[in-house]
Amino acid sequence: MEHWSFWLLLATIFIPISVILIATPYLTRRTESFGISITEEIYWHSDVRRMRKKYVIVLAIIHSILLISAAILINRLDEQQMSMTVGGYTIAVIGISFAAYLFFHFKMKRMKREREWTNPVIQSAIIDTSFRRRKHSVSFYWFIPHFVLALSTLAIVLLYYDQFPDQLVMQYDFAGNATTVVAKSYSALLWPIGTQFIMIVLFLFINYSIVISKQQIDAADPEASVQRSMKFRHSWSVFNVATGLLITMLFSFISIVPLLALPPSSILIVSTAIPALIVVGSIWLSIRLGQGGSRIRMPGGSVSSIGTGPTDNDRHWKLGSIYYNPSDPALFLEKRFGIGWTLNFGHPLAWLILIILVAVIIISIVLGG
């Protein structure tokens, strides 16, 4: 089937990502709605429930239109136009999803103000001083296999350099044809390994950020909230280690595939299958746990406690999604809309981390051709 790799990409990456974007209001904490802090009682208010339902319907229709349009267009385009279409589709999905979020964010903000839902009960905050001493992530030793695999790949490339073909394919199109071919060199063979080491360090850093991220405890049921948070962090820490190993294996495969002389289809399948596995895994974990472990059912209890929620600090959340609070020493904290963690951009280190990440991405793109 012509352009089969595009259809594989559509089924394994684009559709799962659309599903998670559409379902986000049901995965975040029940003490937050479209980036606005609320109580769980308000979460179940008929107007707020209706708002979540509208968001899902609107975004599902838009994503369906985008997916169908891309599927129809793709068979009528040449390779260059198809690459541009995939890029445009990605930008459209991100842009439209964010625009829909902003629309409902401001609507929720206005509703909270007009109905005076700034209840003093959500001004309370609980701190567990023993939280840091509890084990809520896997050991950093779990990253040893990642380094062993990367070093082994480096050794193979250096030892068998002469047996690699004189011409190396750096890029394929959606039909599996080589589009970028370069002469064999150490830089062309070693860039995936360099990226591999950078990615391992990045996954180590993510694991560290899970450990040090700010605790967010439900004042109504502190112990259950702590247990949920620990399970949430530990599960994502395990997922982070597994994801890091899969990515390390992918770059090892990319590094030695010219030596194995495998058909281009095998490269495209592996390059798509591993990211797809990671995306599907993250969706499964998000639905199972919810943000901060809010969907975890505790023994003898409900999925979530009553939930007074965190301190009502909406003023520190710009557009409900960017946290800026110079008075808060925390560097990492949970996202308000979505699953995972974000940075406190009122902390100087946050900007340094952002600059380093952008530099790593640019260097990887430049080295990758």
Side-chain angles (χ1 to χ4, degrees):
M1 182 172 58
E2 193 176 8
H3 306 322
W4 61 270
S5 57
F6 169 78
W7 298 105
L8 184 64
L9 194 68
L10 191 72
T12 57
I13 304 288
F14 291 161
I15 292 178
I17 288 177
S18 289
V19 170
I20 201 70
L21 288 172
I22 293 167
T24 298
Y26 292 95
L27 301 178
T28 53
R29 285 177 178 268
R30 294 176 181 175
T31 49
E32 291 152 5
S33 179
F34 297 103
I36 300 295
S37 61
I38 56 173
T39 64
E40 188 167 347
E41 182 183 11
I42 294 172
Y43 177 88
W44 293 112
H45 191 282
S46 58
D47 289 341
V48 179
R49 293 173 67 176
R50 197 174 298 116
M51 194 182 296
R52 286 195 296 273
K53 191 174 179 181
K54 279 184 180 176
Y55 174 88
V56 168
I57 292 172
V58 168
L59 219 56
I61 291 173
I62 293 174
H63 278 240
S64 297
I65 292 172
L66 287 173
L67 281 168
I68 293 170
S69 301
I72 293 173
L73 273 176
I74 212 70
N75 282 326
R76 303 177 180 177
L77 304 175
D78 58 32
E79 285 301 328
Q80 186 177 5
Q81 291 171 328
M82 191 157 58
S83 297
M84 292 175 65
T85 300
V86 171
Y89 171 82
T90 304
I91 293 171
V93 164
I94 296 172
I96 290 174
S97 299
F98 187 65
Y101 158 75
L102 283 182
F103 175 81
F104 285 95
H105 165 73
F106 287 117
K107 190 174 181 179
M108 184 69 221
K109 188 176 184 179
R110 185 171 61 252
M111 186 182 292
K112 178 180 177 180
R113 183 179 62 250
E114 291 174 352
R115 304 191 185 191
E116 299 181 344
W117 281 344
T118 309
N119 193 319
V121 73
I122 64 174
Q123 299 295 334
S124 61
I126 298 290
I127 303 295
D128 182 351
T129 55
S130 66
F131 188 78
R132 299 293 174 206
R133 296 195 296 272
R134 306 192 192 194
K135 184 176 176 59
H136 43 253
S137 68
V138 298
S139 167
F140 292 102
Y141 291 121
W142 281 97
F143 287 92
I144 290 176
H146 304 56
F147 283 105
V148 170
L149 182 56
L151 288 171
S152 300
T153 308
L154 176 61
I156 290 172
V157 170
L158 294 178
L159 286 172
Y160 294 94
Y161 178 81
D162 292 338
Q163 296 184 30
F164 278 85
D166 294 332
Q167 299 292 315
L168 300 172
V169 178
M170 304 298 287
Q171 193 171 25
Y172 292 92
D173 61 22
F174 287 102
N177 303 311
T179 56
T180 305
V181 179
V182 299
K184 181 174 70 175
S185 66
Y186 281 103
S187 61
L189 283 172
L190 293 179
W191 79 261
I193 301 173
T195 305
Q196 195 174 32
F197 280 107
I198 292 172
M199 293 299 292
I200 294 172
V201 172
L202 182 61
F203 282 106
L204 267 168
F205 180 74
I206 293 172
N207 205 52
Y208 175 69
S209 69
I210 292 174
V211 174
I212 67 168
S213 64
K214 186 177 183 178
Q215 56 176 291
Q216 189 170 318
I217 299 177
D218 191 332
D221 192 355
E223 185 53 35
S225 178
V226 167
Q227 293 299 325
R228 287 191 184 93
S229 179
M230 288 176 59
K231 189 167 184 178
F232 173 76
R233 292 174 188 236
H234 190 269
S235 298
W236 278 107
S237 178
V238 171
F239 180 80
N240 179 54
V241 171
T243 299
L245 187 59
L246 285 171
I247 295 295
T248 305
M249 291 167 66
L250 175 60
F251 277 101
S252 289
F253 178 76
I254 291 172
S255 298
I256 65 172
V257 75
L259 196 63
L260 303 175
L262 294 174
S265 59
S266 64
I267 300 169
L268 291 171
I269 290 172
V270 173
S271 301
T272 306
I274 288 182
L277 187 62
I278 294 170
V279 170
V280 172
S282 64
I283 291 174
W284 175 78
L285 209 53
S286 299
I287 294 173
R288 180 170 170 266
L289 301 178
Q291 175 65 314
S294 59
R295 293 175 64 87
I296 298 174
R297 185 179 295 278
M298 300 301 292
S302 62
V303 172
S304 177
S305 60
I306 298 300
T308 54
T311 304
D312 187 2
N313 58 353
D314 288 350
R315 67 186 184 283
H316 297 308
W317 287 90
K318 312 306 176 188
L319 301 179
S321 56
I322 301 171
Y323 187 67
Y324 181 85
N325 184 4
S327 301
D328 189 345
L331 180 57
F332 296 95
L333 68 163
E334 290 179 16
K335 291 179 182 176
R336 274 205 165 181
F337 191 73
I339 304 295
W341 292 268
T342 187
L343 289 163
N344 173 13
F345 288 96
H347 197 300
L349 275 179
W351 293 99
L352 180 61
I353 291 169
L354 186 65
I355 290 170
I356 291 173
L357 287 176
V358 171
V360 167
I361 293 170
I362 293 173
I363 290 171
S364 298
I365 293 173
V366 171
L367 290 179

